[in-house]
Amino acid sequence: MVGSSHEALHRVFQKDPALLTRAFQKVLRVPFPEPRDFAVLNADVTEIEPVERRVDTLMRVETGHGAYLLVVEAQGKKDERKRGSWPYYLAYLYEKYRCEPVLVVITQNSTTARWAAQPIRRGLPGWDSLMVRPLVIGPDNVPVIASEREAERDVPLAVLSAMTHGRGAQAAAILEPLAFALRTVDGDSAAVFGQLIESCLADSRAKEIWRNLMSEIRYFFNNPVAEKVREEGRVEGREEGRLEDRAEMTLRILEWRSIPVPDAVRERVLGCSDLDQLEVWAHRAVTAERAEDLFAGGGA
C-alpha cells in the first residue's frame, strides 16, 4: 500500500511514463516531441557522501529530437529550500547525463502550484546567470474527468485527475466514473492505480467510497463471468447498470457534502433513464447548495 500522497503523486508516472508527456500536451499545453522510449533512472543526485540529495522521480525519454531528463517533484506545501535545490538538481543531472533536464512539479494544492510556478532566478539584478522555470501540474490545470466515456479514453489521465483533485470538493465526482474505466485495463494496473488514488484522497468519506468501489473492481477481475464479459467488451444489461450506478453516485455526492436529499429528488434521480442527463446532474451535485439545484437547468 502506498504510504502517502507525496509518493503516489510522482509514482503514477513511473507506472505509466507516457502519461507525463501526455500531461505536457493536454494539461500544460507545452509542445513535446513524440517519445520513442522511456527509462526510469536512479533518482539519487548525491554528489558528496555526507550530503544526500534525491529527486522524487527521474526518467529519461528518447524522442526524434533527442533525449530529455524528466525530473518530477511532488510538492505538498511551499518550501523555499526547493528554490535552491531544484536548480542544483538540474545542473547536476545535466552534467551527469549530458541531456536536457525538464523540471515538473506536481501538487494537490493551488497555492503551492502558484508558488512553484514562479521562475527561479540567480545572478545580478536584470542579468540572470541562471533561470529555472518549473512546469507545474495541479488542480488548476488538470481537468476534472467526471465522465465515464472520457475516463475510458485515457485511464491514466483520469487517474491523474483523481489524484490532483483528491483534496478538493470535486474528488467524489471523479471516483465512480473512474472505477468503471479501470475495468478496461488489466487487473494489476487497476490495483496499482487504485492504491495510488486512495493515497491522495484527503476526506475519510471519499476514501470509504473509493474502497467500496475498489472492492467491486476486485470482484470484477476475480469473477470468471465478469472476466469473460470484460474480454468481449459487452454485457447484457450494462446500460441499465450504468444508469443505476450514475444515479446512486449523484445522490452519494450530495450525501457526502452533507446536503439533505428529499424523497422527491431521490425518486427523480433514480427514475431517470438518460445517462447524459445523469452525468449533468452528477456535475451539478459537486457545487449545488440544495438537492433541488440539480434540476435548475431543466432536464428529465
Side-chain angles (χ1 to χ4, degrees):
M1 183 67 186
V2 178
S4 70
S5 60
H6 176 277
E7 289 297 301
L9 283 170
H10 68 88
R11 288 187 184 275
V12 68
F13 298 117
Q14 296 179 17
K15 170 61 182 170
D16 186 349
L19 171 62
L20 189 54
T21 55
R22 293 205 303 282
F24 284 146
Q25 300 161 359
K26 296 184 178 182
V27 176
L28 299 169
R29 308 298 180 186
V30 172
F32 193 89
E34 192 65 26
R36 294 179 176 176
D37 190 29
F38 289 92
V40 178
L41 305 178
N42 188 331
D44 193 343
V45 291
T46 303
E47 187 174 11
I48 303 174
E49 187 173 349
V51 182
E52 182 178 349
R53 300 177 187 270
R54 188 177 299 274
V55 300
D56 289 331
T57 287
L58 178 64
M59 293 186 293
R60 179 187 177 105
V61 53
E62 300 286 346
T63 77
H65 299 276
Y68 294 88
L69 290 177
L70 304 183
V71 183
V72 184
E73 286 278 281
Q75 196 67 29
K77 60 183 179 181
K78 296 180 182 180
D79 183 354
E80 290 302 322
R81 293 175 300 177
K82 292 291 187 179
R83 301 183 70 78
S85 57
W86 286 340
Y88 168 83
Y89 294 163
L90 300 185
Y92 174 82
L93 291 169
Y94 177 78
E95 179 64 20
K96 181 177 180 178
Y97 292 102
R98 287 292 169 174
C99 62
E100 298 298 337
V102 180
L103 174 61
V104 181
V105 180
I106 180 167
T107 181
Q108 295 178 294
N109 184 281
S110 295
T111 301
T112 303
R114 289 190 292 271
W115 165 80
Q118 297 173 8
I120 302 169
R121 293 183 167 88
R122 296 289 178 262
L124 295 171
W127 188 273
D128 301 322
S129 298
L130 174 69
M131 182 171 71
V132 174
R133 296 175 62 194
L135 292 167
V136 180
I137 296 173
D140 292 336
N141 57 4
V142 176
V144 174
I145 298 181
S147 161
E148 183 183 332
R149 295 185 181 93
E150 190 177 357
E152 287 180 350
R153 281 197 294 270
D154 194 335
V155 173
L157 186 63
V159 170
L160 182 65
S161 176
M163 293 169 65
T164 51
H165 293 282
R167 295 184 179 276
Q170 295 176 306
I174 303 173
L175 299 182
E176 195 145 351
L178 178 53
F180 271 98
L182 284 179
R183 301 182 191 197
T184 65
V185 303
D186 64 275
D188 290 341
S189 293
V192 172
F193 285 143
Q195 290 177 352
L196 292 172
I197 291 165
E198 183 174 335
S199 295
C200 291
L201 296 174
D203 186 270
S204 59
R205 286 169 293 181
K207 279 183 178 287
E208 182 180 359
I209 290 172
W210 184 243
R211 286 169 182 165
N212 290 336
L213 290 169
M214 285 303 296
S215 295
E216 296 174 9
I217 291 172
R218 284 191 289 271
Y219 172 80
F220 179 82
F221 280 105
N222 293 331
N223 184 290
V225 176
E227 177 63 21
K228 182 179 178 181
V229 165
R230 175 177 176 271
E231 294 299 326
E232 294 175 351
R234 63 177 181 83
V235 345
E236 183 179 356
R238 184 182 181 193
E239 188 68 16
E240 181 179 347
R242 283 183 171 182
L243 289 168
E244 181 179 349
D245 288 334
R246 190 55 47 82
E248 290 179 353
M249 179 192 73
T250 302
L251 297 174
R252 195 179 295 143
I253 293 172
L254 292 174
E255 292 166 356
W256 177 68
R257 298 182 58 224
S258 301
I259 295 177
V261 181
D263 290 341
V265 172
R266 186 178 302 275
E267 290 173 6
R268 184 172 175 181
V269 171
L270 293 175
C272 181
S273 58
D274 185 335
L275 186 61
D276 291 334
Q277 181 63 67
L278 286 169
E279 286 193 2
V280 171
W281 289 347
H283 278 283
R284 291 177 184 167
V286 176
T287 57
E289 295 182 1
R290 303 178 308 124
E292 289 81 2
D293 291 345
L294 298 180
F295 318 125

